[in-house]
C-alpha cells in the first residue's frame, strides 16, 4: 500500500463541496451514475473505432447495490476502467491549476454564477457529502492489473493493487450519518428516476428482500436476492420523429407534466452541426392554474447527455413562454461547477433563441387554422402579449400572432386582417381599452367611429393598456387610443371645425363651473348619440391604467380628465341657451359625472349627484 497526498488545497476544497457547493445531497448518486455512463460510452466508442477493443464482449450495465445493515452503497460499471496513472490523475488531483482562484471565487457572494465547469472535475467528490470512507476498485480494459483507491477525504488517499475479475469500476461508499437515509430501495429508485431515468445504459438495483417461512419455533428468516431495472433508458426525445406516434408523444407529455389531457401542440427538434441538442416542447390544452403566480416554475427540464440537471432554470426559455412544457437535452452545454446552474454563454443563448423561433414558427402554421388558433389564443394570450413587451427580438413575429376583438368582426382578428379592412385614407390603428369587453362595445367613445365605418380594436385585458402604447406601431401604422384626446383626429371635418367655433361660449361656461375638476372642456368629434364623454390627455394615464396601478398598490397620480361635449345633442343645445346659472351648474355637473361613471371612474360625492338628479326631475315634472 502506498499513501498519497491530494494535490491542491484538498481539505479546503472538500469542505466547500460537502457544505456549500451542492444544494441537494442526493445528487451524489447522479454524479456517480453519470461517471459510470461516461465510462461505458468511452468503451463502446473504442470497440467501434479501435481494433484492439473489438475483441471485447460488451454488455454495458450499471449495477447499484445497498446494504442497510452495513450502511453501504456501491455503484458498479463494466466500462473503460482506470489504471494507476488514471487514478492519480483523475481522483488524486482535484484540479491541476488555479485551485486557489477557484476557492476564492466560490467563496464570494454568488457561488452559483461561477464559470468553472470543465476546469475542475469535482463531481466524484460529491460522494463525500454522504460517505466517510470511499473505495474505488477498478481495472482498465485490456489490462490485467486491478487497483484500489481509497480515502476518507481528509487530505490523503491510499493506492494498492487489488482483485477485479473484469474491466470497469466499482465505487463503494461507507455512508456517514447524513448519508444513511439513502441505503434503501425507495430512495435509490426515486433518485435514479428523477435524474438518470433516460440514460441509455441499463441501471439495475440489486438488493435483498426478507421473508419468513414456518411458524412458532420453526419460523425462519430467509433473505432473497432481488434485481430490478431502475431506468427507462429510452429518452423518447432522442428518437427520430418518424419513429414516434402521437400516442407516444402524448403519453410522455402526461408522464412529464401529470396533465390528464393530451397536449395541444407538440414541437420536436433535433439540431446537428457544430453543437448538438434536442428539444421536445409541448403546449398544454389548458393554461395551468399557477401560470400567473409569482412562484410559478418553468415547464422545461434541462438534460445533459440524458442526465437530468434542473427544472427551475429560467434562462432556457423566456419568461413569457413559461406555459411551454418539455425537454432540452444538450451534448455539451456548460454548467457551473456543481452542475446545478447554467452559465451565461453563447451556446445557451443560441439554443434559447432558436427554440423561441421554432415555437413561433409552429404557432404561425397553427394560426392558419382559425378555429384551432382561437382555442390556443383564448388560453395563452396574456403571456404572448408579455412577449410583445419584453422580447424585442421577436416582436415583429409576435405582432403577426396576436389577436384582438374588434367592432367589425366576430371572434378574434389579427392586425394584418384589421389593416386589410382599413379605409383608404385611414392612417392609424384605433383601439379602446377598458376592463370589460361588453362595456367597451357600448362605449360612447365609439359612436362616431361606428358611424363613419372605422374599425376599432376592443382591448379588455389589463396587459393591453401596458403593452400596446409601448409597441407603438404595426408596420407603418401607429396605434392610436380612442380613450385619449388626440385619438379622434381622423374624424375631423371642416363642418366640425365651424361647430367648434360656435361652441366657444358654452365651453367657457362649463370650464368655469367644473373649475379644477377637469383639465379641459372641448367639443367632441367622436360623439354622435351621447351628450358628453371623458377622455384623457395623451401624456396622462388612462382611467383603466389608474385602476390597474391602484390594484397593484402603486400611487397613481391624480387624474384630471378632459370633458368632451357633443354640440349637436339636444341636451347640449338647450344647455347652451340656459340662463339659470344654478340649473346650468347642476346639468353641467351631471354631464360630467355620468361620463365619469360610464368610464368606470368614481364620482366625488354620490349624495350630491343624487341631489342634482332630484332637482332636475323636480323641474321636469
Amino acid at each position: 500500500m502506498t499513501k498519497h497526498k491530494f494535490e491542491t488545497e484538498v481539505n479546503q476544497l472538500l469542505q466547500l463541496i460537502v457544505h456549500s457547493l451542492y444544494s441537494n445531497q442526493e445528487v451524489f448518486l447522479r454524479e456517480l451514475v453519470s461517471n459510470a455512463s461516461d465510462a461505458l460510452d468511452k468503451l463502446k466508442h473504442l470497440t467501434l473505432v479501435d481494433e484492439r477493443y473489438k475483441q471485447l464482449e460488451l454488455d454495458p450495465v450499471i449495477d447499484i447495490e445497498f446494504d442497510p445493515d452495513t450502511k453501504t452503497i456501491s455503484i458498479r460499471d463494466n466500462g473503460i476502467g482506470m489504471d494507476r496513472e488514471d487514478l492519480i490523475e483523475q481522483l488524486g488531483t482535484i484540479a491541476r491549476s488555479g485551485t486557489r482562484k477557484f476557492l476564492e471565487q466560490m467563496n464570494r457572494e454568488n457561488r452559483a454564477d461561477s464559470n468553472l465547469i470543465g476546469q475542475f472535475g469535482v463531481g466524484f467528490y460529491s460522494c463525500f457529502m454522504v460517505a466517510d470512507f470511499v473505495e474505488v476498485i477498478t481495472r482498465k480494459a485490456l489490462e490485467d492489473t486491478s487497483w484500489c483507491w481509497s480515502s476518507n477525504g481528509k487530505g490523503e488517499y491510499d493506492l494498492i493493487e487489488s482483485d477485479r475479475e473484469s474491466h470497469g469500476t466499482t465505487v463503494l461508499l461507507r455512508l456517514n450519518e447524513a448519508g444513511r437515509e439513502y441505503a434503501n430501495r425507495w430512495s435509490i429508485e426515486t433518485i435514479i428516476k428523477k435524474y438518470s431515468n433516460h440514460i441509455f445504459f441499463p441501471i439495475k438495483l440489486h438488493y435483498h428482500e426478507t421473508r419468513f417461512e414456518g411458524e412458532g419455533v420453526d419460523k425462519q428468516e430467509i433473505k432473497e436476492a432481488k434485481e430490478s431495472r431502475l431506468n427507462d433508458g429510452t429518452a423518447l426525445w432522442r428518437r427520430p420523429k418518424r419513429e414516434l406516434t402521437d400516442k407516444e408523444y402524448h403519453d410522455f407529455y402526461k408522464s412529464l407534466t401529470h396533465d390528464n389531457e393530451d397536449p395541444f401542440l407538440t414541437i420536436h427538434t433535433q439540431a446537428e452541426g457544430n453543437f448538438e441538442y434536442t428539444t421536445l416542447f409541448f403546449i398544454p390544452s389548458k393554461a395551468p392554474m399557477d401560470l400567473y403566480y409569482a412562484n410559478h416554475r418553468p415547464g422545461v427540464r434541462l438534460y445533459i447527455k440524458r442526465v437530468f440537471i434542473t427544472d427551475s432554470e429560467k434562462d432556457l426559455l423566456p419568461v413569457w413562454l413559461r406555459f411551454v412544457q418539455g425537454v432540452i437535452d444538450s451534448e455539451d452545454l456548460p454548467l457551473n461547477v456543481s452542475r446545478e446552474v447554467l452559465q451565461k454563454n453563447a451556446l445557451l443563448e443560441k439554443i434559447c433563441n432558436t427554440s423561441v423561433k421554432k415555437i413561433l414558427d409552429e404557432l404561425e402554421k397553427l394560426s392558419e387554422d382559425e378555429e384551432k388558433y382561437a382555442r390556443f389564443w383564448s388560453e395563452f394570450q396574456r403571456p404572448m402579449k408579455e412577449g410583445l413587451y419584453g422580447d424585442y427580438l421577436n416582436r415583429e413575429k409576435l405582432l403577426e400572432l396576436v389577436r384582438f376583438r374588434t367592432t367589425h368582426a366576430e371572434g378574434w382578428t389579427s392586425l394584418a386582417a384589421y389593416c386589410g379592412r382599413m379605409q383608404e385614407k385611414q392612417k392609424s390603428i384605433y383601439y379602446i381599452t377598458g376592463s370589460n369587453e361588453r362595456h367597451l362595445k357600448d362605449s360612447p367613445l365609439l359612436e362616431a367611429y361606428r358611424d363613419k365605418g372605422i374599425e376599432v380594436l376592443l382591448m379588455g385585458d389589463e396587459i393591453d393598456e401596458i403593452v400596446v402604447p409601448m409597441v407603438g406601431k404595426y408596420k407603418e401604422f401607429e396605434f392610436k387610443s380612442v380613450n385619449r384626446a388626440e385619438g379622434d383626429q381622423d374624424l375631423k371635418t371642416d363642418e366640425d371645425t365651424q361647430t367648434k367655433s360656435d361652441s366657444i361660449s358654452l365651453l367657457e361656461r362649463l370650464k368655469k363651473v367644473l373649475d379644477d375638476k377637469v383639465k379641459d372642456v372641448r367639443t367632441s368629434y367622436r360623439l354622435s348619440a351621447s351628450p358628453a364623454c371623458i377622455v384623457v390627455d395623451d401624456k396622462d394615464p388612462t382611467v383603466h391604467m389608474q385602476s390597474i396601478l391602484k390594484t397593484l398598490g402603486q400611487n397613481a397620480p391624480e387624474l384630471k380628465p378632459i370633458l368632451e361635449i357633443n354640440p349637436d345633442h339636444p341636451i347640449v343645445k338647450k344647455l347652451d341657451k340656459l340662463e339659470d346659472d344654478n340649473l346650468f351648474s347642476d346639468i353641467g355637473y351631471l354631464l360630467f359625472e355620468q361620463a365619469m361613471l360610464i368610464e368606470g371612474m368614481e364620482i366625488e360625492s354620490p349624495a350630491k349627484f343624487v341631489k342634482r338628479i332630484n332637482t332636475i326631475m323636480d323641474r321636469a315634472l
Side-chain angles (χ1 to χ4, degrees):
M1 179 185 295
T2 55
K3 282 193 176 291
H4 301 261
K5 287 187 178 294
F6 285 111
E7 293 186 18
T8 75
E9 304 87 339
V10 65
N11 289 328
Q12 187 181 354
L13 182 56
L14 284 174
Q15 192 76 359
L16 179 63
I17 291 170
V18 172
H19 297 291
S20 303
L21 187 58
Y22 292 93
S23 60
N24 196 341
Q25 285 186 334
E26 68 183 21
V27 298
F28 81 92
L29 193 54
R30 177 192 74 183
E31 296 297 322
L32 296 179
V33 169
S34 296
N35 290 345
S37 177
D38 288 344
L40 291 169
D41 267 328
K42 290 175 183 176
L43 184 57
K44 183 179 179 182
H45 175 72
L46 289 172
T47 60
L48 296 174
V49 301
D50 192 322
E51 289 294 332
R52 295 176 301 156
Y53 290 89
K54 289 183 179 180
Q55 60 180 302
L56 294 176
E57 291 186 10
L58 187 60
D59 183 19
V61 65
I62 300 170
D63 294 303
I64 301 176
E65 291 186 44
F66 70 91
D67 188 330
D69 297 326
T70 61
K71 301 299 182 185
T72 58
I73 294 178
S74 69
I75 298 91
R76 183 173 67 251
D77 68 73
N78 54 352
I80 187 65
M82 292 177 280
D83 59 19
R84 184 177 185 277
E85 286 70 30
D86 291 333
L87 285 167
I88 294 173
E89 176 72 12
Q90 296 181 35
L91 302 188
T93 306
I94 293 179
R96 275 186 285 247
S97 63
T99 302
R100 187 172 297 280
K101 180 181 177 183
F102 161 70
L103 292 170
E104 289 172 356
Q105 184 161 349
M106 290 299 292
N107 277 303
R108 291 175 191 160
E109 284 186 15
N110 197 351
R111 295 191 182 98
D113 289 335
S114 61
N115 299 323
L116 297 166
I117 194 66
Q119 300 177 39
F120 301 92
V122 299
F124 166 78
Y125 295 95
S126 63
C127 63
F128 284 104
M129 292 189 297
V130 297
D132 53 24
F133 191 79
V134 178
E135 282 187 347
V136 179
I137 303 166
T138 184
R139 177 177 163 187
K140 195 163 188 174
L142 302 184
E143 295 193 4
D144 298 326
T145 306
S146 302
W147 295 92
C148 177
W149 179 101
S150 59
S151 177
N152 60 6
K154 301 296 185 183
E156 294 181 336
Y157 62 92
D158 295 324
L159 191 57
I160 61 172
E161 287 193 25
S162 182
D163 292 321
R164 182 183 168 91
E165 292 183 0
S166 61
H167 57 81
T169 300
T170 300
V171 180
L172 178 65
L173 309 180
R174 185 195 298 158
L175 300 172
N176 57 27
E177 193 69 34
R180 290 175 184 175
E181 64 177 286
Y182 301 109
N184 62 81
R185 178 183 174 186
W186 182 86
S187 293
I188 293 172
E189 284 185 347
T190 301
I191 295 169
I192 295 300
K193 289 289 185 186
K194 179 178 180 179
Y195 293 104
S196 308
N197 190 45
H198 303 289
I199 283 180
F200 177 75
F201 305 109
I203 304 172
K204 295 182 179 180
L205 178 62
H206 303 267
Y207 59 98
H208 290 86
E209 202 168 79
T210 302
R211 65 181 178 84
F212 295 91
E213 286 189 354
E215 296 181 1
V217 295
D218 296 324
K219 190 174 184 179
Q220 294 183 356
E221 181 180 310
I222 300 174
K223 285 190 175 182
E224 289 186 348
K226 296 281 187 176
E227 176 185 298
S228 63
R229 178 163 177 169
L230 300 180
N231 66 321
D232 182 279
T234 56
L236 175 137
W237 60 85
R238 289 287 190 108
R239 292 168 57 190
K241 289 187 284 186
R242 64 180 179 277
E243 295 180 3
L244 294 167
T245 64
D246 286 344
K247 185 178 185 306
E248 287 176 301
Y249 278 126
H250 294 173
D251 287 347
F252 177 73
Y253 165 77
K254 290 174 182 177
S255 70
L256 187 73
T257 64
H258 308 294
D259 190 351
N260 293 324
E261 296 189 39
D262 291 337
F264 185 74
L265 190 64
T266 301
I267 306 168
H268 191 183
T269 305
Q270 293 166 321
E272 298 178 350
N274 294 333
F275 55 91
E276 298 181 5
Y277 64 91
T278 300
T279 61
L280 176 55
F281 298 131
F282 300 98
I283 293 178
S285 296
K286 299 287 184 182
M289 294 182 64
D290 64 345
L291 186 61
Y292 303 107
Y293 291 1
N295 60 350
H296 175 78
R297 292 176 67 86
V300 177
R301 299 184 177 193
L302 173 69
Y303 288 78
I304 303 294
K305 297 180 179 178
R306 301 173 178 240
V307 177
F308 172 70
I309 302 299
T310 181
D311 60 359
S312 60
E313 178 55 53
K314 295 183 178 180
D315 288 333
L316 297 176
L317 286 179
V319 175
W320 61 271
L321 280 175
R322 60 189 176 277
F323 58 87
V324 175
Q325 304 284 330
V327 167
I328 294 176
D329 188 356
S330 171
E331 286 297 307
D332 50 6
L333 188 64
L335 305 171
N336 79 339
V337 69
S338 66
R339 306 214 320 173
E340 291 181 307
V341 182
L342 288 169
Q343 292 181 18
K344 305 282 186 183
N345 63 74
L347 176 55
L348 173 60
E349 186 177 352
K350 183 164 186 178
I351 291 176
C352 176
N353 291 340
T354 304
S355 297
V356 172
K357 184 178 183 301
K358 179 64 176 177
I359 292 169
L360 293 179
D361 286 344
E362 292 299 317
L363 289 176
E364 186 176 24
K365 294 176 186 176
L366 180 69
S367 68
E368 296 172 6
D369 185 326
E370 292 186 7
E371 184 178 344
K372 280 187 177 181
Y373 193 74
R375 295 208 309 271
F376 161 78
W377 188 253
S378 296
E379 294 292 329
F380 301 109
Q381 58 173 301
R382 292 195 69 182
M384 291 288 285
K385 290 174 183 175
E386 288 175 26
L388 278 177
Y389 181 84
D391 193 339
Y392 184 80
L393 185 65
N394 294 292
R395 184 175 294 171
E396 287 189 15
K397 178 81 76 172
L398 282 165
L399 281 170
E400 299 298 338
L401 293 171
V402 294
R403 299 290 185 268
F404 299 101
R405 303 291 188 184
T406 172
T407 56
H408 276 45
E410 292 296 323
W412 299 102
T413 195
S414 67
L415 294 174
Y418 175 97
C419 291
R421 296 190 293 264
M422 285 172 64
Q423 295 186 358
E424 185 177 349
K425 295 183 180 181
Q426 188 175 333
K427 301 174 183 178
S428 306
I429 298 173
Y430 290 100
Y431 69 96
I432 183 171
T433 59
S435 58
N436 186 295
E437 184 183 313
R438 180 169 56 84
H439 291 166
L440 290 179
K441 286 184 177 180
D442 298 330
S443 173
L445 300 178
L446 299 180
E447 291 173 357
Y449 296 92
R450 191 179 292 114
D451 292 345
K452 294 178 182 291
I454 297 175
E455 186 172 4
V456 179
L457 299 176
L458 306 173
M459 299 189 182
D461 196 330
E462 287 181 354
I463 196 171
D464 297 327
E465 189 77 63
I466 301 169
V467 170
V468 177
M470 187 274 302
V471 172
K473 63 190 304 185
Y474 169 70
K475 296 184 177 178
E476 70 270 25
F477 301 106
E478 289 188 6
F479 287 100
K480 191 163 287 188
S481 172
V482 170
N483 307 75
R484 295 189 175 279
E486 297 303 315
D488 61 354
Q489 297 306 299
D490 287 350
L491 302 175
K492 289 181 180 180
T493 65
D494 294 338
E495 183 179 342
D496 289 325
T497 303
Q498 181 60 46
T499 301
K500 181 175 181 179
S501 176
D502 295 341
S503 305
I504 290 177
S505 60
L506 174 62
L507 299 180
E508 293 298 329
R509 288 183 73 188
L510 283 171
K511 285 180 187 178
K512 186 176 181 180
V513 166
L514 298 174
D515 193 20
D516 61 346
K517 300 289 187 282
V518 295
K519 179 172 282 191
D520 194 11
V521 180
R522 67 182 211 174
T523 302
S524 178
Y525 304 117
R526 71 188 88 223
L527 296 174
S528 60
S530 299
C533 68
I534 288 292
V535 293
V536 296
D537 189 272
D538 282 4
K539 295 180 180 179
D540 291 337
T542 64
V543 173
H544 187 45
M545 176 58 79
Q546 280 243 329
S547 176
I548 293 172
L549 292 173
K550 289 178 181 177
T551 301
L552 294 174
Q554 298 184 21
N555 292 325
E558 182 184 355
L559 177 64
K560 282 190 177 182
I562 295 172
L563 176 67
E564 291 191 352
I565 60 169
N566 176 6
D568 296 323
H569 195 278
I571 291 177
V572 176
K573 286 183 176 179
K574 292 176 182 178
L575 183 64
D576 189 20
K577 298 176 182 179
L578 192 62
E579 295 182 359
D580 186 329
D581 289 339
N582 290 330
L583 185 58
F584 182 93
S585 176
D586 284 340
I587 295 174
Y589 261 102
L590 282 177
L591 288 175
F592 174 58
E593 289 172 333
Q594 72 175 11
M596 290 176 67
L597 289 173
I598 291 173
E599 287 301 305
M601 296 180 69
E602 292 184 6
I603 56 178
E604 185 176 311
S605 174
K608 290 182 179 179
F609 176 73
V610 172
K611 184 178 180 181
R612 291 186 188 104
I613 290 179
N614 291 337
T615 299
I616 301 300
M617 286 194 296
D618 181 54
R619 293 285 295 266
L621 293 172

